[in-house]
Amino acid sequence: MAAENIRVQCYICNKGNATYLCRGCSKDFCFQHLTEHRQMLQRQLEEIINDHDQFQQTIIHQKHNPDNSSLIQQINQWEKNSIEKIQQTAQQCRETLMKLKQKSINDMEKKFSELSQKLKQIRQENEFNEIDLNHFQLKLTQITEEFLQPSNISLRQDSQEFIKKISVISLPEQIRTKKNKFQQSAITVAGGNGKGQELNQLYCPNGILIDNDKSIYIADLLNHRIVKWNLNSNTGQIIAGGNGQGNQNNQLYSPRDIIFDKENNSFIISDWRNRRVLRYFDKNQQIIILNIICWGLTIDKNGFIYVSDHENHEVRRWKQRDKRGELVAGGNGEGNHLNQLNCPTYIFIDEDYSLYISDNGNHRVMKWKKDAKQGVIIAGGNGEGNSLKQLNRPQRVIVDHLGHIYVADSWNHRVMRWCEGDKEGEIIVGGNSQGNESNQLSFPIGLLFDNEENLYVADCDNHRIQKYEKISN
């Protein structure tokens, strides 16, 4: 049978008239639709040429006007903002310096007036000898030198920032030079009888608190309780929890920290595993914050409570009856930038509302001044390690009345002291490898001072509280 005569159809109209193949798209078109197809291709070519010409104009414009690029504009804006910050800081420093200088002059006038009165008196009485004259000459020389070169005013430059920030500081001489020293062999004041739930035992103590009678309150983590050890007692007493892990009114689940609210005469407890913060008074528990992995707590002189949110990498401040706390540090996701935190643990607030944060996952301690958008590194920050420049999973941080920062350098089994601005710290206690001897620690967590400046350490893996007595200067 003869093969049928098959005709190719147009891609557009499907008619079997004479068709023409477009080699570009490999489709067949009748004459009419081939013309339309070519016209469409011509329009596309003109659009490409138009785009080409516009881009060429952009290149020419950028070549002759390089200052108009978006990156240059960003640099210009950065420059403007930086200059404004420098000018603001310089003006603040001038004002602070003028106030300090005026105070120094007033103090000097008072000293000079007292000296003048004494000179006038002995001149009138005509009762003096060589010793008196030497004394007055020495006193006058001291006052003159102190006035011309005041030792309590200086400038400090922060080298951690690209633009060095200067600030005026005024510290009494004894604060800059005095450093407390402690006995290296500790006294066990709570626990120390192995891990367990008996009243003479602890099981991984964390946060600690001490009252004026030197009674110690301990967040006994894995016993799910708060215990109180009176001075020189061999056993503790349960004041909260102690009924097994749970979320009932008489239960706790791995409490991490405890602080005291003087205004409301109550304890505040970080009930870690229950994702809540409790107020405890008169054997009653009241939930004040819910749905937060709170590790550390602190309270300022106004009674505002600060909580470290281990999960959301931030610290919030809570006022009474707050529905949601106010963000005061972090809150920019997990990270190691100056406006970020990584699993913060314990916190401390000073009289100026500066917040000290153990930035556990970043192996550093941060200081966030009031209303600051970012913090500064004041300890560690050089990666995980055991050199004097490093920390390894820091826990409790406290600041003494001299302004020195103490850090429980947990995984290095030591307590470190850092002075703000120093590049490295010093080992205060521990640091003799992990162990349970009186001069050793094993994963220290809690720190505090009593009213005699003795240092207490919650020695977590040794299940004890160690007291390091201050050495009198």
Side-chain angles (χ1 to χ4, degrees):
M1 182 168 57
E4 294 186 8
N5 192 11
I6 300 175
R7 302 186 68 181
V8 178
Q9 295 178 336
C10 173
Y11 175 74
I12 301 298
C13 64
N14 295 323
K15 293 183 180 179
N17 299 331
T19 58
Y20 305 88
L21 177 66
C22 174
R23 295 189 179 275
C25 62
S26 300
K27 296 186 177 86
D28 294 285
F29 299 93
C30 65
F31 182 78
Q32 176 185 350
H33 290 119
L34 177 64
T35 302
E36 293 176 357
H37 181 62
R38 292 298 300 173
Q39 290 173 345
M40 182 188 69
L41 294 178
Q42 184 66 35
R43 287 195 298 272
Q44 291 180 355
L45 175 61
E46 290 174 355
E47 290 175 359
I48 292 172
I49 292 173
N50 183 58
D51 290 343
H52 164 272
D53 292 343
Q54 287 184 3
F55 182 64
Q56 185 179 39
Q57 289 299 316
T58 301
I59 294 175
I60 295 171
H61 179 74
Q62 289 286 350
K63 182 178 180 180
H64 291 91
N65 300 279
D67 290 347
N68 289 336
S69 74
S70 61
L71 293 178
I72 289 292
Q73 291 175 4
Q74 290 180 38
I75 293 172
N76 292 341
Q77 187 61 47
W78 171 85
E79 179 185 31
K80 178 182 177 183
N81 293 341
S82 298
I83 291 172
E84 289 177 354
K85 289 180 180 178
I86 291 172
Q87 291 174 336
Q88 290 172 2
T89 303
Q91 183 59 29
Q92 291 171 359
C93 287
R94 290 189 196 99
E95 293 173 358
T96 303
L97 183 58
M98 292 303 294
K99 290 179 181 178
L100 290 173
K101 289 290 290 183
Q102 187 59 52
K103 183 178 182 301
S104 177
I105 291 171
N106 293 340
D107 293 342
M108 205 58 58
E109 284 181 335
K110 182 178 179 182
K111 292 180 181 179
F112 189 72
S113 176
E114 292 173 354
L115 181 62
S116 299
Q117 289 295 329
K118 291 179 180 178
L119 283 172
K120 182 179 179 180
Q121 181 180 352
I122 67 166
R123 189 174 186 181
Q124 289 175 346
E125 295 174 353
N126 200 25
E127 290 287 341
F128 58 89
N129 54 34
E130 290 88 346
I131 296 175
D132 295 322
L133 295 178
N134 289 336
H135 170 74
F136 285 119
Q137 181 63 57
L138 178 62
K139 193 68 175 177
L140 182 59
T141 301
Q142 289 176 343
I143 293 176
T144 303
E145 290 177 352
E146 187 178 347
F147 180 72
L148 295 177
Q149 294 181 336
S151 61
N152 65 330
I153 302 175
S154 62
L155 291 179
R156 180 180 63 203
Q157 297 193 32
D158 188 349
S159 60
Q160 292 179 348
E161 299 180 10
F162 174 69
I163 299 174
K164 292 184 178 180
K165 181 179 178 180
I166 61 172
S167 57
V168 176
I169 55 174
S170 176
L171 295 174
E173 185 65 27
Q174 67 269 22
I175 290 182
R176 291 182 297 179
T177 58
K178 180 182 176 183
K179 290 183 179 179
N180 289 337
K181 296 182 179 180
F182 303 90
Q183 298 286 354
Q184 293 304 294
S185 293
I187 303 168
T188 300
V189 293
N193 298 300
K195 68 181 180 183
Q197 61 182 357
E198 301 299 323
L199 291 181
N200 69 339
Q201 294 179 305
L202 299 170
Y203 195 172
C204 197
N206 273 221
I208 49 179
L209 177 68
I210 194 165
D211 62 21
N212 292 331
D213 297 326
K214 292 188 174 60
S215 295
I216 305 170
Y217 299 81
I218 306 163
D220 195 7
L221 181 77
L222 297 183
N223 279 327
H224 316 292
R225 66 190 184 185
I226 304 295
V227 290
K228 175 184 178 182
W229 286 63
N230 291 324
L231 179 64
N232 299 324
S233 176
N234 293 321
T235 59
Q237 54 182 304
I238 300 171
I239 66 166
N243 298 298
Q245 70 183 47
N247 61 4
Q248 301 303 311
N249 288 336
N250 65 344
Q251 291 181 306
L252 299 170
Y253 190 0
S254 298
R256 284 282 185 187
D257 204 5
I258 178 172
I259 59 175
F260 187 69
D261 181 355
K262 294 180 181 178
E263 183 178 346
N264 294 289
N265 194 31
S266 60
F267 294 100
I268 309 295
I269 301 171
S270 167
D271 194 10
W272 182 50
R273 290 287 188 185
N274 277 328
R275 302 176 63 94
R276 65 188 184 183
V277 176
L278 303 174
R279 184 183 297 279
Y280 181 86
F281 52 91
D282 296 331
K283 298 183 180 181
N284 293 313
Q285 293 181 181
Q286 173 191 3
I287 299 172
I288 56 176
I289 305 173
L290 264 176
N291 299 320
I292 184 170
I293 301 292
C294 173
W295 197 292
L297 297 165
T298 191
I299 188 168
D300 67 21
K301 56 190 176 185
N302 295 320
F304 299 156
I305 299 168
Y306 297 71
V307 300
S308 65
D309 190 333
H310 193 71
E311 183 178 44
N312 291 316
H313 316 288
E314 63 187 24
V315 178
R316 288 187 174 271
R317 176 176 60 211
W318 295 75
K319 302 176 183 178
Q320 288 195 23
R321 294 179 292 278
D322 267 0
K323 298 291 184 181
R324 179 171 173 78
E326 178 185 357
L327 180 69
V328 292
N332 295 298
E334 176 184 346
N336 62 1
H337 295 296
L338 293 181
N339 67 342
Q340 293 179 305
L341 299 170
N342 184 356
C343 299
T345 53
Y346 291 97
I347 51 180
F348 178 91
I349 192 133
D350 66 15
E351 291 293 312
D352 297 324
Y353 304 99
S354 290
L355 190 65
Y356 298 78
I357 306 166
S358 270
D359 192 9
N360 185 272
N362 285 323
H363 313 288
R364 67 189 185 185
V365 175
M366 302 288 289
K367 179 180 180 180
W368 288 63
K369 293 185 178 180
K370 184 182 178 183
D371 300 326
K373 299 301 181 183
Q374 65 180 29
V376 294
I377 302 170
I378 57 171
N382 297 300
E384 172 186 343
N386 62 4
S387 76
L388 295 181
K389 295 181 179 180
Q390 294 175 302
L391 298 170
N392 193 348
R393 300 288 175 182
Q395 293 287 345
R396 174 67 77 185
V397 54
I398 55 176
V399 182
D400 68 10
H401 71 284
L402 301 173
H404 301 142
I405 302 116
Y406 291 75
V407 186
D409 191 9
S410 185
W411 285 27
N412 283 325
H413 317 293
R414 64 191 186 185
V415 176
M416 301 284 289
R417 177 168 60 201
W418 294 67
C419 297
E420 188 171 349
D422 287 355
K423 293 183 178 180
E424 62 181 36
E426 58 180 323
I427 300 172
I428 298 304
V429 296
N432 299 305
S433 74
Q434 182 181 6
N436 60 5
E437 299 296 326
S438 62
N439 68 338
Q440 293 179 306
L441 296 168
S442 181
F443 295 99
I445 291 185
L447 293 179
L448 59 79
F449 293 106
D450 64 18
N451 53 14
E452 296 177 349
E453 300 182 10
N454 300 306
L455 177 64
Y456 295 72
V457 181
D459 192 11
C460 180
D461 265 24
N462 284 324
H463 316 290
R464 65 189 183 182
I465 307 300
Q466 298 290 86
K467 176 184 177 181
Y468 295 86
E469 294 185 335
K470 177 188 172 185
I471 300 174
S472 299
N473 294 327

